[in-house]
Amino acid sequence: MDKINELNKDFLITKVLHNAHETLDKEVVAKLAAIKRDKINKPIITIGVNTPSRIIGVDEIKLGLLEYVHDRNFDAQVIDVGSLGLTTYEPILSVHLPGKTKLYFKNVSLENYISILDGTFNNYIHEEAVLCQVRNDIFEQWEQVPFMDELPYFKNQQRLVLKNCGFIDPNSIEEYIATGGYKSFLKTIRNNTPEEVCEKIENSNLRGRGGEGYPTGKKWRVALETASEQKYLICNAGESDPGAFMERLLIESDPHKIIEGISISAYAIGAQKAYVYIESEYEIAVARLKNAIKQAKEYGIIGHDILNSGYNLDIIIKEGAGAYVCGEETALISSIEGKRGKPHSKPPYPATKGLFGRPTVVNNVETLVNIPIIIEKGANWFKSLGTEGSSGTKVFSISGKVDYKGLVEVEMGTKLRDIIFRISGGIVQGKKFKALHIGGPSGGCLTEDHLDIEIDYEAISQAGISLGSAGMVVLDEDNCIIDMVKYFMNFLQEESCGICIPCREGTRRMHEILENISKRPKDDNGNTTLQRFKGVMQLENLAEVIKDTSMCGLGRKAANPVLSSLKWFRDEYEEHIFERNCEAGICQELRTFEINIDACTGCTLCAKKCPTGAIIGSPQNAHFIVQDKCIGCGICYDTCKFSAIISK
Amino acid sequence: MVIEIEVNGKNIKANKGDTILETLYNNGIKVPTLCRMDGFTPTGACRMCVVEVEGKTDLIPSCSFPVDESLKIKTHSTRVIRARKMLVELLLSNHPDDCLYCIRNGNCELQDLAVELNVRERRISGDKSKLNSDHSSPGIIRDPAKCILCGRCVRVCEEILDVSTFDFMRRGNKTAISTSMNKDLNFSNCINCGQCIMTCPTGALHEKTNFDIVQDMINNPEMNVIAQFSPSIAVSLADELGLRSGKDISGILVAALKRIGFDKVFDTSFGVDLAIYEQSAELADRIKNDENLPMFSSCCSGWIKHMEQSHPDMIDNVSTSKSPQQMMGAMIKSYFAEKEDISPNKIFSVSIMPCTAKKFEAQREEMTHKGVSDIDVVLTTRELVKLIHLYGIDVQSLDEEKSDAPFNNRSSAGKMPAVSGGLAESIARTLAFHLTEKELTNIKIAKLRGTKERRETYVKIGRQQIGFAVVSGLKNANNLIKEIRDGKSDIKFIEVMACPGGCINGGGQVFTNDDKALKNRAKIIYDLDDKEAINVAHKNSGILELYKEFLGEPMSEKCVKFLHTKYTQRDVLL
Amino acid sequence: MIESILEKYPFVQRDNIIPILQDIQKNYGFLSEESIIKVGKYLNMPTSKIYGLATFYNQFRFEAKAKYHIRICNGTSCHINSNLIIINEIKKRLGIENGGITKDGLFSLEETTCMGACGLGPVMAINERYYTEVNVNKIPEIIEYYLNNDK
């Protein structure tokens, strides 16, 4: 993985990093163009090696590519890149032939990669697999291949944070520097005091992308102004929202950008030690980050007396051991200290008393990636993006029932409708949109009526939810809201740290109430309609108290999914409670089955398979389902060869 | 700096730096808590102490939030009370419904809160965590089903005892308090001190009761049932029995125990005098021979187990003298039995102690000779109270009675070890006699008294300056041992008590253990020392007679047989 | 050897505990009582604290995995693509719950949080091999494959 080229290293350090001038010599520019592969003299194949593509088997495909090139004695290079963010189409392969525009292919597999390559090298396009070509006026274009900037998915995004993702080699510091990387950091430590950096970030109105949207500059200033011989910066990369993946893909695709963000931020608060807290399960991300730190050290970008500035910085990776609550900053600090990931009451805030009792700033990955961008382009430019209260762009990970699942970066203030329908291609198979869930277990859901919300921190909190991790899950008519909320509640009752009563006991009871209304009555003393109804009344009370009294954000937001769904999908709750019906058919136990006596041949198969003995009847005669015994498992439905079982 | 804050519409004074809760308490405003412990940093876990603060969207835990000018607080608004009530209801929804059968019925913080918040309807119900109780330990029973996870036992065990038997295990709705590797308590490093019981708000931790067998034995005409009670008990349960506190009630206790049906009642203070006499002779020998110094005290059975498992290298430094309970037990089944011509098998010896570790000590193998245990059953102070109630004894109407011969004498030194520091002081007095055959010029050693966690002084005996140290709360003992290992300290005798403050704050005491009560108990003891004429163990005529008639000289062969024991390294999960 | 793992952490600091446990688990597959005792001695920490810490996090396990360790993604995206049906089918087929091991010691089951392939759910993995867009009808075949493999 490590690819330090000593010649390039000397060149980059002396001519680029140590170059205090704004402009670069022509020959330097030319050499940089070669390093960042703008100019090529042999075919370049890139393959997106990232978590989703690895799950599909990209490693074998990559071996195949190397073999392909080797067997044919091609003077071509195979390079790993991260992800373009379009996970639906992983693994994504690009082929760039000298003199021609760069081509992208989607859903590459062991079956088709050879024909893709064979075709491309023979000027023939594999029509099924081709995704797009990258616009470039100098090179010859491929015919009848759409340009990347014409695809709705790319066209409607504004990529600042994700700019490099999928394009540069995440294992190469050379490429990162050649594309202008680390310039912001070096400019900063050369020309600015920490005070000035804080001011700049304050002026940019950057708000923390971790969910609460707390102004980053303000947080920094508190830490900067708290006197202490040791301060810490922590990069919170412990995403662990079960439906969000932007931090993971961002680190996998552009790790040096995170290192640069950390370096500037640490400098701004006067920290000489920074930690990256990242789940150890994110194997690719961890490996690339480790490699990036190693390379940055070899280049003298981090370490002792960085490029003669007198500033020292050490970055340490702490691998998390799997706990959602460790996304909460005080719990994260406990975890780094080697304790149970238990949050603490605030105050004291980490900015005054955090890791090992020292002033500590915890920023999430996306926040940190925004830092070098702001330094490079200026606070005013940044402020000009987005809305009045929320500057800049926001990255979302979008999954669920849309055509294009993946990362989406848009300017703050973009309409939700545009994200779902224009960028992500709308609902799969043309089904009906039902709800959008934002922010994972701590977030909430929105309806069709909300799709014209122009998303930013204010708008989303006006809608009564929080941005949370900014994971978006789109639900269609086949999904059940109760089931969704129940899923999150179950997640939270397991992931609560278990210390404070409202969160520990409250999430558990809320989950039980939801379970009850999605079940049919078991016996006389459980789940009667009245009790189920009382349960829902209790649900609101519980939710209020949990929100009011919990120790940390996890608990305070735990009720969000429940409260928002009760608000917008109350009829669905009522349908479950009073009619014992789940329209989407997801709540299994609420399904009822009947036997069409005309179709039933009395083969007895269903009666044999029924786990509760609810089906009676004698052989050769039509059977009958005893509804009181039926648990709605649907085994009979799946078993019947004569379609005699009807689901209601 | 004194500032003013507004609470419930009125301005009250607050010290800057205090928490809201401290300020409220100082101003007589009560806010309920479940996880709070005096003298510990707040964890903010239970959320019972939440208050409404103007300008804050959520309720604020008053225990951890510092006061600030311009704070406007409501402590009992509808919103706050609603939240507190809901929290209690949530706890109850995962709590067994067996209050009537619970050892803490009528004495349970959760029950009290439910009453206080007027919980009168079951609004929340659901599955309860199925957790088994652990009866494996001879001293302590754990019933995790009743645990509300306040974490107080975890903290006291870690921060005061430095034993850390417990910690939180797992998380979320599966969170529980557990021992290391979730083993039974008797395989753990628990020292049975019972301090966890003292902090437990519910019945999740309690002593193992040995009531039934005591009743059976009392009803058995063939058995001679003998009781002894610890000196610390007579100063700690007056309140609990509805008597005027501030006085030693040994006489009343003797009378009550007699009414219950014990054939003989002895005051363990005699055993304490015996232990002081023997142990100081042992110390004198070690000083003369300059071996195995410093010598650690051996009275506290919690400390002994801790030493065996955590500091086995110090075994030779611990006094081999048995604890007063065990010496007394040994004398009852030998000297007394011989004197009264009763077979030791026909004696059932009950010891009433402020301690759960004594239950463990009594069943140690070393404390048994040929199948006969020195002590058959240990009851705690709390069990004694229940026994008195069970037998319908009206203590108000009792006249004081003297304890039975031949162990009916005691010196004031025999009472002193009830308080941390008292043993060291008493030992110093008798050590002087053993070494020089003279009395100390000043028998009151002020530097060994007080509430400081660790106290040290040098006492001039003959020509020597002999160093004494007193530690209570095992954490302080561990720190001292570390210093000794590092070569520090020319201390010759170290008194260690596991419980902070000594036996008056033992893990078997009644639950009213606030600072005031403890000070009061210590005062009664030291007052006795001031008032009484015999202040040293070696002037207790009963002791002298016992040696003359039965034991011979201190450290004699017979003494070693009856009054000394040995320790072995214990392999437990530390 | 656990000792050689401990040697890699020359500074006896509490914040090394999680890395050490991760290292041990990577090498041994799980945390044994013996290893917890050794770590406790090394870091001068009560084992109850180590056990309490380790049980807090998803990653640590206290018994070895089976020969075929099945991981099923229980992330949001897989959930709304009906992964429960698959989870239940596997549980039913193998007769084990989450975290359990079959009697013959062949299969163990773990429900994980998001594996990171949200576009491809439901996702499951057996040892290092991944299965995407799993259909409940494929389950018997997949399990059969490993059963045969073992014979």
Side-chain angles (χ1 to χ4, degrees):
Chain A
M1 184 178 266
D2 186 33
K3 301 175 186 161
I4 293 274
N5 174 329
E6 289 299 327
L7 274 176
N8 283 348
K9 180 180 162 187
D10 282 347
F11 162 74
L12 289 169
I13 290 177
T14 52
K15 299 287 183 200
V16 184
L17 299 181
H18 274 281
N19 175 28
H21 308 288
E22 282 291 314
T23 51
L24 296 168
D25 298 343
K26 250 189 189 165
E27 40 182 297
V28 175
V29 174
K31 196 156 181 196
L32 288 180
I35 291 177
K36 63 181 172 181
R37 292 184 268 108
D38 281 353
K39 256 181 146 175
I40 55 166
N41 48 22
K42 59 183 171 190
I44 306 277
I45 300 168
T46 72
I47 176 87
V49 179
N50 48 54
T51 303
S53 72
R54 174 160 289 174
I55 284 176
I56 308 168
V58 78
D59 292 334
E60 282 174 73
I61 297 173
K62 195 191 158 187
L63 286 178
L65 295 175
L66 291 170
E67 215 171 278
Y68 181 94
V69 172
H70 181 260
D71 287 356
R72 289 165 181 73
N73 258 331
F74 278 178
D75 184 18
Q77 213 182 338
V78 179
I79 291 172
D80 285 4
V81 293
S83 167
L84 284 172
L86 189 49
T87 56
T88 303
Y89 286 155
E90 295 290 353
I92 291 177
L93 175 88
S94 87
V95 186
H96 193 182
L97 302 180
K100 298 208 87 174
T101 56
K102 189 172 176 184
L103 275 176
Y104 275 94
F105 297 92
K106 62 186 178 186
N107 296 127
V108 177
S109 65
L110 279 177
E111 286 75 39
N112 69 6
Y113 79 93
I114 292 179
S115 54
I116 291 173
L117 292 181
D118 279 348
T120 312
F121 284 116
N122 293 307
N123 274 332
Y124 163 77
I125 296 283
H126 191 293
E127 276 176 21
E128 216 176 282
V130 74
L131 176 65
C132 60
Q133 58 180 320
V134 179
R135 192 183 294 280
N136 192 315
D137 297 339
I138 305 163
F139 303 134
E140 185 194 337
Q141 293 169 3
W142 293 85
E143 272 172 36
Q144 289 190 332
V145 176
F147 287 103
M148 190 179 255
D149 55 18
E150 288 170 354
L151 295 180
Y153 173 78
F154 290 104
K155 191 169 84 183
N156 297 307
Q157 296 196 43
Q158 178 153 11
R159 290 195 159 190
L160 300 175
V161 170
L162 301 178
K163 191 177 152 223
N164 289 338
C165 295
F167 295 109
I168 69 168
D169 178 354
N171 290 321
S172 162
I173 191 172
E174 296 169 10
E175 283 190 30
Y176 183 70
I177 294 173
T179 51
Y182 289 118
K183 220 167 82 184
S184 296
F185 174 50
L186 297 175
K187 207 167 90 181
T188 302
I189 57 169
R190 239 179 243 137
N191 306 329
N192 298 105
T193 61
E195 174 77 18
E196 286 165 355
V197 190
C198 283
E199 202 179 303
K200 204 174 219 170
I201 300 303
E202 274 172 317
N203 287 339
S204 76
N205 274 351
L206 174 67
R207 296 174 66 169
R209 300 297 195 236
E212 308 265 354
Y214 191 81
T216 307
K218 212 166 144 190
K219 203 177 194 177
W220 286 10
R221 184 162 297 274
V222 176
L224 178 69
E225 287 174 357
T226 306
S228 172
E229 55 197 51
Q230 182 73 269
K231 295 178 189 179
Y232 299 102
L233 183 103
I234 299 175
C235 167
N236 182 356
E239 193 157 46
S240 56
D241 168 351
F245 45 85
M246 56 272 205
E247 292 182 355
R248 186 193 290 214
L249 281 193
L250 188 52
I251 298 170
E252 287 176 2
S253 305
D254 198 4
H256 279 287
K257 187 78 141 248
I258 288 125
I259 304 295
E260 184 173 8
I262 291 171
S263 308
I264 299 171
S265 311
Y267 176 76
I269 61 163
Q272 307 208 326
K273 212 169 191 182
Y275 287 90
V276 185
Y277 184 84
I278 181 168
E279 283 306 324
S280 66
E281 271 187 11
Y282 291 13
E283 282 174 25
I284 303 176
V286 171
R288 289 191 180 155
L289 211 49
K290 276 186 179 161
N291 180 56
I293 291 174
K294 187 166 162 259
Q295 291 179 338
K297 274 186 186 154
E298 286 181 37
Y299 269 65
I301 292 167
I302 54 177
H304 182 69
D305 189 14
I306 298 164
L307 298 169
N308 309 325
S309 66
Y311 176 59
N312 311 323
L313 175 67
D314 194 11
I315 301 180
I316 297 156
I317 292 184
K318 279 277 176 183
E319 293 182 42
Y324 176 69
V325 68
C326 289
E328 203 280 341
E329 54 181 1
T330 57
L332 187 157
I333 287 170
S334 298
S335 183
I336 293 183
E337 287 172 348
K339 299 175 185 156
R340 289 167 61 88
K342 180 183 107 58
H344 292 280
S345 283
K346 296 188 236 178
Y349 291 92
T352 54
K353 196 170 173 235
L355 185 62
F356 306 119
R358 307 289 187 167
T360 304
V361 165
V362 184
N363 281 140
N364 93 328
V365 173
E366 192 185 338
T367 314
L368 291 169
V369 170
N370 269 300
I371 303 296
I373 300 171
I374 295 171
I375 300 289
E376 186 191 340
K377 307 219 170 174
N380 285 330
W381 174 86
F382 189 77
K383 226 165 29 180
S384 72
L385 293 172
T387 61
E388 204 187 327
S390 312
S391 309
T393 60
K394 181 77 196 84
V395 182
F396 296 94
S397 71
I398 185 156
S399 61
K401 303 292 185 73
V402 285
D403 274 340
Y404 306 129
K405 303 166 191 84
L407 299 187
V408 170
E409 183 177 4
V410 290
E411 210 177 319
M412 290 279 192
T414 303
K415 280 187 183 168
L416 287 173
R417 189 181 300 280
D418 289 344
I419 297 175
I420 296 170
F421 289 93
R422 288 179 65 187
I423 299 175
S424 300
I427 309 299
V428 282
Q429 296 164 2
K431 293 220 174 188
K432 205 169 159 285
F433 171 87
K434 180 173 198 170
L436 171 66
H437 190 99
I438 303 182
S442 313
C445 58
L446 298 172
T447 65
E448 176 97 51
D449 296 340
H450 294 101
L451 289 185
D452 289 316
I453 285 180
E454 294 175 348
I455 193 160
D456 68 358
Y457 289 102
E458 286 79 19
I460 213 79
S461 82
Q462 263 168 27
I465 61 176
S466 87
L467 218 43
S469 56
M472 286 188 180
V473 183
V474 178
L475 309 186
D476 70 2
E477 53 190 299
D478 290 344
N479 294 118
C480 167
I481 290 288
I482 315 287
D483 177 70
M484 180 80 196
V485 175
K486 199 169 73 182
Y487 165 78
F488 284 130
M489 230 52 235
N490 184 41
F491 180 80
L492 285 169
Q493 67 159 353
E494 283 173 6
E495 294 290 336
S496 158
C497 81
I499 294 300
C500 80
I501 300 165
C503 181
R504 179 186 71 233
E505 304 291 343
T507 51
R508 173 177 183 181
R509 295 303 167 219
M510 290 210 283
H511 179 250
E512 272 175 2
I513 292 170
L514 293 165
E515 281 261 280
N516 275 345
I517 62 177
S518 51
K519 264 186 186 155
R520 58 172 64 199
K522 269 186 229 151
D523 49 52
D524 292 343
N525 51 18
N527 298 333
T528 63
T529 305
L530 179 66
Q531 266 185 325
R532 286 145 56 102
F533 179 70
K534 267 166 76 184
V536 177
M537 305 295 293
Q538 209 50 265
L539 210 52
E540 280 176 321
N541 282 333
L542 270 171
E544 283 303 319
V545 170
I546 293 172
K547 202 169 150 222
D548 244 5
T549 56
S550 288
M551 183 174 346
C552 77
L554 183 143
R556 280 199 295 272
K557 291 177 187 163
N560 280 354
V562 170
L563 286 176
S564 64
S565 60
L566 268 173
K567 202 158 154 194
W568 309 121
F569 294 92
R570 201 167 186 101
D571 48 343
E572 205 164 322
Y573 277 88
E574 283 166 2
E575 187 196 343
H576 276 73
I577 298 164
F578 297 116
E579 292 164 36
R580 300 186 192 282
N581 185 31
C582 173
E583 192 62 40
I586 295 292
C587 299
Q588 267 200 16
E589 288 204 18
L590 292 184
R591 291 188 294 178
T592 49
F593 295 93
E594 269 178 18
I595 295 178
N596 175 358
I597 44 172
D598 296 332
C600 180
T601 63
C603 72
T604 72
L605 196 60
C606 59
K608 277 182 197 143
K609 288 253 174 154
C610 178
T612 58
I615 303 179
I616 49 173
S618 51
Q620 317 300 329
N621 287 313
H623 280 47
F624 176 74
I625 299 179
V626 183
Q627 293 300 338
D628 283 356
K629 280 190 175 177
C630 174
I631 54 165
C633 67
I635 290 177
C636 54
Y637 183 83
D638 296 337
T639 315
C640 183
K641 290 174 183 156
F642 309 98
S643 305
I645 312 255
I646 311 157
S647 169
K648 282 201 152 181
Chain B
M1 202 174 93
V2 179
I3 55 169
E4 280 208 338
I5 62 171
E6 188 190 306
V7 177
N8 304 333
K10 282 188 191 142
N11 282 0
I12 61 169
K13 293 215 168 359
N15 297 316
K16 198 151 189 177
D18 279 3
T19 61
I20 295 179
L21 191 75
E22 283 163 340
T23 308
L24 295 176
Y25 280 8
N26 291 339
N27 286 275
I29 300 166
K30 206 190 143 206
V31 164
T33 58
L34 275 175
C35 65
R36 197 187 101 90
M37 298 164 81
D38 269 333
F40 287 75
T41 50
T43 59
C46 76
R47 318 307 281 179
M48 288 305 301
C49 67
V50 286
V51 293
E52 203 173 330
V53 175
E54 201 177 280
K56 300 267 175 194
T57 39
D58 302 316
L59 298 179
I60 299 298
S62 58
C63 68
S64 60
F65 202 90
V67 288
D68 204 346
E69 284 100 343
S70 77
L71 272 187
K72 287 185 182 168
I73 297 168
K74 286 182 194 152
T75 58
H76 290 81
S77 65
T78 316
R79 184 175 161 209
V80 169
I81 289 180
R82 194 176 81 119
R84 287 186 194 142
K85 186 171 179 177
M86 178 75 84
L87 293 178
V88 170
E89 288 177 291
L90 278 170
L91 285 176
L92 292 178
S93 73
N94 190 27
H95 198 85
D97 288 325
D98 61 351
C99 289
L100 280 176
Y101 301 92
C102 179
I103 193 164
R104 293 294 292 269
N105 187 22
N107 187 9
C108 164
E109 291 180 37
L110 182 61
Q111 199 180 45
D112 292 348
L113 270 178
V115 172
E116 205 175 297
L117 290 162
N118 200 27
V119 178
R120 285 288 170 256
E121 186 196 350
R122 189 187 304 278
R123 293 193 301 167
I124 308 169
S125 54
D127 281 347
K128 294 176 181 179
S129 308
K130 286 167 194 70
L131 298 160
N132 296 329
S133 56
D134 174 2
H135 292 251
S136 65
S137 153
I140 297 172
I141 291 178
R142 238 162 58 78
D143 189 354
K146 288 181 182 160
C147 176
I148 59 167
L149 299 169
C150 66
R152 284 169 14 182
C153 55
V154 175
R155 300 191 71 193
V156 80
C157 196
E158 177 177 359
E159 294 175 37
I160 301 291
L161 279 312
D162 206 7
V163 172
S164 287
T165 297
F166 300 125
D167 195 12
F168 285 92
M169 173 179 71
R170 300 194 291 260
R171 60 154 199 255
N173 59 355
K174 297 197 180 68
T175 311
I177 304 286
S178 134
T179 57
S180 183
M181 304 307 288
N182 205 9
K183 299 211 169 196
D184 283 348
L185 208 49
N186 65 334
F187 291 111
S188 76
N189 63 346
C190 172
I191 58 162
N192 301 294
C193 73
Q195 284 299 314
C196 52
I197 299 177
M198 303 305 289
T199 66
C200 184
T202 69
L205 283 162
H206 56 88
E207 69 273 16
K208 186 175 249 176
T209 52
N210 302 88
F211 246 54
D212 297 350
I213 184 161
V214 173
Q215 283 180 61
D216 286 352
M217 287 301 167
I218 287 174
N219 290 334
N220 184 340
E222 281 184 24
M223 293 304 284
N224 286 276
V225 186
I226 292 171
Q228 57 164 310
F229 62 91
S230 150
S232 63
I233 286 182
V235 300
S236 56
L237 50 49
D239 271 334
E240 194 77 12
L241 294 176
L243 297 168
R244 238 189 58 211
S245 58
K247 233 178 83 195
D248 181 281
I249 57 162
S250 299
I252 306 274
L253 287 182
V254 175
L257 290 166
K258 284 282 179 71
R259 294 288 185 289
I260 288 168
F262 287 98
D263 297 308
K264 298 276 180 205
V265 178
F266 301 129
D267 183 344
T268 312
S269 303
F270 180 89
V272 178
D273 272 340
L274 178 58
I276 293 167
Y277 193 67
E278 187 68 20
Q279 205 172 128
S280 42
E282 185 187 1
L283 178 59
D285 281 0
R286 291 196 192 189
I287 291 173
K288 277 182 214 153
N289 303 330
D290 192 22
E291 60 179 16
N292 295 332
L293 288 168
M295 184 174 93
F296 289 91
S297 69
S298 59
C299 297
C300 173
S301 29
W303 146 246
I304 291 299
K305 179 162 187 265
H306 177 69
M307 178 275 300
E308 287 178 320
Q309 61 199 24
S310 294
H311 307 295
D313 56 321
M314 291 281 165
I315 279 180
D316 289 340
N317 288 69
V318 180
S319 161
T320 58
S321 305
K322 287 181 183 173
S323 71
Q325 161 182 288
Q326 295 304 130
M327 284 198 180
M328 196 76 178
M331 287 303 98
I332 289 170
K333 292 204 180 172
S334 56
Y335 172 65
F336 169 78
E338 230 175 271
K339 214 172 153 96
E340 301 278 312
D341 196 20
I342 312 172
S343 156
N345 289 320
K346 294 285 170 217
I347 293 177
F348 189 75
S349 185
V350 178
S351 162
I352 303 163
M353 292 285 141
C355 183
T356 40
K358 291 285 168 203
K359 289 182 187 255
F360 171 81
E361 184 184 44
Q363 52 92 62
R364 287 174 69 113
E365 233 180 67
E366 306 86 55
M367 301 298 174
T368 302
H369 299 285
K370 294 174 189 157
V372 179
S373 300
D374 286 351
I375 296 288
D376 294 296
V377 153
V378 178
L379 300 180
T380 61
T381 318
R382 295 187 290 270
E383 289 170 273
L384 171 63
V385 173
K386 285 191 181 124
L387 205 60
I388 291 174
H389 289 320
L390 177 69
Y391 280 86
I393 314 280
D394 175 15
V395 284
Q396 310 276 0
S397 66
L398 292 178
D399 290 326
E400 298 197 2
E401 284 177 33
K402 265 201 81 97
S403 57
D404 287 300
F407 306 131
N408 49 354
N409 289 326
R410 65 155 178 81
S411 71
S412 66
K415 291 291 277 190
M416 297 232 299
V419 188
S420 159
L423 176 70
E425 193 172 336
S426 306
I427 294 262
R429 293 175 189 176
T430 301
L431 177 70
F433 171 76
H434 282 308
L435 284 176
T436 63
E437 296 193 356
K438 282 183 199 145
E439 299 300 322
L440 279 183
T441 37
N442 190 358
I443 59 162
K444 296 204 179 359
I445 308 170
K447 283 195 168 158
L448 294 178
R449 301 183 180 187
T451 51
K452 247 172 60 187
E453 292 170 335
R454 179 166 149 190
R455 306 183 286 281
E456 285 180 21
T457 194
Y458 290 89
V459 178
K460 190 158 187 252
I461 295 177
R463 285 200 193 123
Q464 301 181 67
Q465 287 284 356
I466 294 182
F468 286 82
V470 171
V471 280
S472 70
L474 278 185
K475 180 157 216 162
N476 300 312
N478 283 347
N479 291 340
L480 181 61
I481 288 172
K482 207 178 288 157
E483 287 173 32
I484 290 168
R485 284 213 187 96
D486 291 345
K488 187 252 159 184
S489 177
D490 50 353
I491 298 287
K492 297 283 187 280
F493 180 77
I494 299 165
E495 175 203 305
V496 185
M497 299 288 169
C499 298
C503 304
I504 52 169
N505 187 29
Q509 290 281 28
V510 287
F511 285 114
T512 44
N513 264 26
D514 54 15
D515 271 358
K516 218 177 110 198
L518 295 185
K519 271 198 188 123
N520 191 23
R521 290 172 196 172
K523 188 173 172 291
I524 303 173
I525 301 273
Y526 287 123
D527 280 353
L528 287 178
D529 193 44
D530 285 341
K531 270 184 262 161
E532 292 182 0
I534 298 172
N535 307 105
V536 290
H538 54 272
K539 285 190 185 161
N540 178 341
S541 55
I543 298 286
L544 300 177
E545 203 170 303
L546 173 65
Y547 274 91
K548 208 168 111 195
E549 278 188 21
F550 185 71
L551 290 169
E553 288 296 304
M555 304 299 286
S556 67
E557 211 172 289
K558 213 161 179 185
C559 281
V560 170
K561 180 180 166 198
F562 287 106
L563 304 183
H564 289 259
T565 182
K566 60 181 189 307
Y567 313 109
T568 38
Q569 178 168 357
R570 263 169 212 278
D571 282 321
V572 295
L573 256 179
L574 285 176
Chain C
M1 283 294 277
I2 284 159
E3 283 75 9
S4 56
I5 292 174
L6 294 175
E7 275 168 21
K8 288 196 271 174
Y9 302 86
F11 301 104
V12 178
Q13 292 165 194
R14 172 138 187 187
D15 57 325
N16 275 334
I17 176 89
I18 293 176
I20 290 175
L21 295 181
Q22 284 170 331
D23 214 339
I24 291 173
Q25 181 151 310
K26 201 180 269 172
N27 281 280
Y28 293 86
F30 69 105
L31 303 176
S32 63
E33 184 174 320
E34 183 205 353
S35 64
I36 287 181
I37 293 170
K38 282 186 177 162
V39 173
K41 280 223 173 84
Y42 185 72
L43 290 179
N44 203 9
M45 252 174 94
T47 53
S48 61
K49 297 281 155 198
I50 301 176
Y51 183 68
L53 171 116
T55 54
F56 185 89
Y57 297 100
N58 293 339
Q59 186 181 15
F60 298 115
R61 35 190 311 131
F62 301 91
E63 48 182 7
K65 288 177 197 165
K67 185 169 177 190
Y68 303 117
H69 185 61
I70 307 177
R71 290 180 298 143
I72 306 185
C73 177
N74 196 14
T76 315
S77 201
C78 286
H79 178 81
I80 66 167
N81 284 309
S82 306
N83 70 340
L84 268 186
I85 300 178
I86 290 148
I87 294 178
N88 288 338
E89 176 68 21
I90 292 182
K91 284 180 180 171
K92 205 174 77 189
R93 244 166 211 285
L94 299 177
I96 50 175
E97 284 301 308
N98 183 20
I101 297 182
T102 52
K103 276 191 192 133
D104 56 12
L106 272 185
F107 294 97
S108 51
L109 178 65
E110 182 187 350
E111 289 172 28
T112 71
T113 53
C114 186
M115 286 183 175
C118 299
L120 306 161
V123 180
M124 66 179 260
I126 300 185
N127 293 347
E128 293 307 308
R129 176 156 178 198
Y130 286 93
Y131 297 84
T132 57
E133 292 173 340
V134 183
N135 181 305
V136 68
N137 297 325
K138 279 199 225 157
I139 299 295
E141 196 185 311
I142 294 171
I143 290 177
E144 205 60 34
Y145 169 82
Y146 286 94
L147 280 174
N148 289 333
N149 214 9
D150 197 62
K151 284 171 196 162

